[in-house]
């Protein structure tokens, strides 16, 4: 089975898989991609910039569309003094320019 982030083209050469840009055409996804293109985001930051109250679902939808986003779980202490593991989302470096361009174009169309 082929790795999901690497596909062979017709000549047999490996190439990076490209996101399906038609699957993430809402202002919420555009805002999330623009922010992720600029750098890593904690879950709460992603909620705020995307306009969502469920950032993990926004990320899951972007991943289903082919964007390569990783979640790093960090060891933290919450305000009640209990250990927790909030997520920090990071878009793969090789997709950042494409995400920024795609998101900017999409946001210009929706405004």
């Amino acid at each position: 089975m082929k790795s999901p982030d690497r596909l062979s083209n017709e000549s047999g050469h490996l190439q990076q898989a490209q996101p399906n840009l038609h699957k993430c055409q809402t202002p919420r996804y555009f805002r999330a991609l623009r922010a992720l293109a600029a750098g890593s985001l904690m879950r709460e930051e992603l909620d705020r910039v995307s306009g969502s109250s469920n950032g993990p679902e926004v990320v899951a939808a972007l991943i289903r569309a082919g964007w390569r986003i990783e979640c790093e779980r960090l060891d933290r202490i919450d305000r009640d003094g209990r250990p927790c593991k909030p997520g920090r989302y990071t878009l793969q470096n090789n997709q950042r320019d494409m995400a920024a361009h795609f998101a900017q174009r999409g946001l210009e169309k929706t405004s």
Side-chain angles (χ1 to χ4, degrees):
M1 181 174 200
K2 293 178 186 168
S3 170
D5 61 342
R6 292 183 143 301
L7 302 173
S8 293
N9 62 20
E10 293 170 3
S11 65
H13 293 97
L14 288 177
Q15 62 185 23
Q16 282 298 117
Q18 296 297 312
N20 182 337
L21 302 180
H22 300 292
K23 288 188 174 183
C24 44
Q25 298 256 347
T26 69
R28 178 173 291 171
Y29 295 143
F30 294 140
R31 290 188 298 264
L33 280 171
R34 181 176 60 186
L36 286 165
S40 297
L41 294 172
M42 295 300 291
R43 182 257 166 97
E44 293 83 3
E45 294 171 308
L46 182 64
D47 287 352
R48 197 170 26 261
V49 299
S50 69
S52 168
S53 60
N54 191 357
E57 178 53 33
V58 170
V59 169
L62 292 171
I63 290 170
R64 286 191 299 272
W67 295 98
R68 302 288 175 233
I69 302 168
E70 294 186 18
C71 180
E72 177 185 9
R73 302 301 298 243
L74 305 172
D75 291 319
R76 297 286 191 261
I77 303 295
D78 69 14
R79 68 176 167 186
D80 298 318
R82 296 189 176 159
C84 62
K85 291 190 172 277
R88 178 171 55 197
Y89 296 103
T90 305
L91 181 64
Q92 251 184 15
N93 284 337
N94 64 353
Q95 289 189 333
R96 286 186 176 186
D97 288 341
M98 180 183 6
H101 180 70
F102 173 69
Q104 188 59 42
R105 275 193 0 225
L107 287 168
E108 288 170 358
K109 288 180 187 177
T110 62
S111 45

